[in-house]
Amino acid sequence: NTVCFRYKPQAIQEEQEINALNEQLMHQLNDSGKLYLTHTKVNGRFVLRLVVGSSHASMEHTKAAWETIVALSNKITN
């Protein structure tokens, strides 16, 4: 039920910058009210967590969440 991931654009190599970008992404997604992500750190890397735990959640819900994540990721780096 838990998917862990991080956004890492090819143009950004600095680990601290990638961590900051992922934290920014999480806050903007959470502030949007469309979905809520949590985070953890793995070997010093800021990692996002998406939990799909409702028995009423469908594949369409998961796809919509992912599309929201991708759209905002692209928006904040362009």
Side-chain angles (χ1 to χ4, degrees):
N1 294 4
T2 303
V3 179
C4 297
F5 63 96
R6 48 189 310 212
Y7 179 48
K8 186 182 177 304
Q10 290 182 343
I12 302 174
Q13 298 301 316
E14 175 62 42
E15 196 63 42
Q16 289 179 327
E17 191 175 349
I18 296 167
N19 286 344
L21 180 64
N22 278 274
E23 186 170 6
Q24 176 188 1
L25 176 61
M26 180 191 72
H27 287 299
Q28 288 187 17
L29 287 164
N30 291 349
D31 290 347
S32 77
K34 294 180 182 179
L35 53 97
Y36 185 80
L37 300 179
T38 60
H39 76 281
T40 191
K41 287 196 174 179
V42 177
N43 297 325
R45 294 178 173 169
F46 194 95
V47 178
L48 301 173
R49 297 187 296 194
L50 173 66
V51 177
V52 183
S54 172
S55 59
H56 298 289
S58 67
M59 181 60 79
E60 288 76 26
H61 293 110
T62 304
K63 286 179 181 179
W66 188 250
E67 288 169 2
T68 301
I69 292 165
V70 169
L72 185 56
S73 299
N74 290 329
K75 183 177 178 182
I76 64 176
T77 55
N78 290 327

